[in-house]
Amino acid sequence: MTFKHRIGYFMALSMTGFSFKEADTQQGILLLEFRSLNNRYLELQVKLDESLRSFEPMIRDLISAEIKRGKVDCRIYFKSKTHALDVKNVDPAKLKQLASSVDEIAKHFSHVQPINALDILKTSEIMHDQSVDMNMLEQDLKKNLKEALLEIQLSKAREGEKLQKILLDKLKDIEVLVGEAKKILPILIKDYQTKIEDKFKQALIAIDDDRLKQEFLIFIQKMDIDEELNRITSHIDEVRRLLKTDGAIGKKLDFMMQELNREANTLGSKSISPKTSQISVDLKVLIEQMREQIQNIE
């Protein structure tokens, strides 16, 4: 079950997020830290304590099942309670061996700093072997890893909600421009008709309906933008649908921006009016602004 299903609603996820979790387990303390940044694909970096190294495949599987895109930095540390600094846990035989080794090394150096007793206690080799229950550790790790992943996904969802609002507002602005273009079209046709008729009159040429119709046909073919406007409207609907869809949608949204930009360019190439030319420019500006925001979406 994905994060969006767990929280009960669909939300565009940003690729930027952070979470930190400290868990006091029966065997020790687990520290889990996640940082996520924008990236074209999923780039996962995992840094673990040596005691957790055997769990790396499981950790990677859990993360990649939840996060689909982004540069993710995962750091997990484990401080075992069995290695507490308690003299009762000191192994006398290992301590004696350590002392002998230090004496032997000192023979070869004229100046040797005194050994700090606390540093000796921190040397795990002199502690009694109190092994960690790896099965229990794995269960604790899984539980807390899932909770840490939920936290970073919530963090990404909060950022994603802001991005989603920006994109929806931009879509409304695009719809306004499309509406303006549709209103302009009949006015342009009427103005062109008047212009052609005036030219005939100025040239003292009788208006021939067939010639006039031919002029209109050429004009309408050149400036017919209904198809482009309808496709833009269709693309707007698809973007809205994607923003309500589960899963990684960033790449699909980026593709839709390419399609919208294609229609805006065609609109500009067919333009015979400063007004429609400006609408084309304004559309491309809005689409580029959307594309910049979409680069942050998973």
Side-chain angles (χ1 to χ4, degrees), residues 211-226:
R211 291 184 63 184
L212 194 58
K213 288 178 181 178
Q214 187 177 3
E215 287 282 349
F216 277 134
L217 181 60
I218 294 171
F219 171 75
I220 291 172
Q221 286 175 342
K222 285 183 177 179
M223 55 82 63
D224 183 12
I225 56 174
D226 274 346

Side-chain angles (χ1 to χ4, degrees), residues 77-118:
Y77 305 97
F78 177 65
K79 185 177 180 181
S80 173
K81 291 180 180 179
T82 61
H83 288 157
L85 301 183
D86 189 343
V87 293
K88 296 178 182 179
N89 293 332
V90 174
D91 186 330
K94 290 183 179 179
L95 182 60
K96 185 177 180 180
Q97 183 179 6
L98 177 62
S100 176
S101 298
V102 171
D103 289 340
E104 184 63 29
I105 292 172
K107 293 177 182 179
H108 301 279
F109 299 92
S110 57
H111 301 287
V112 178
Q113 292 291 333
I115 296 177
N116 188 303
L118 183 60

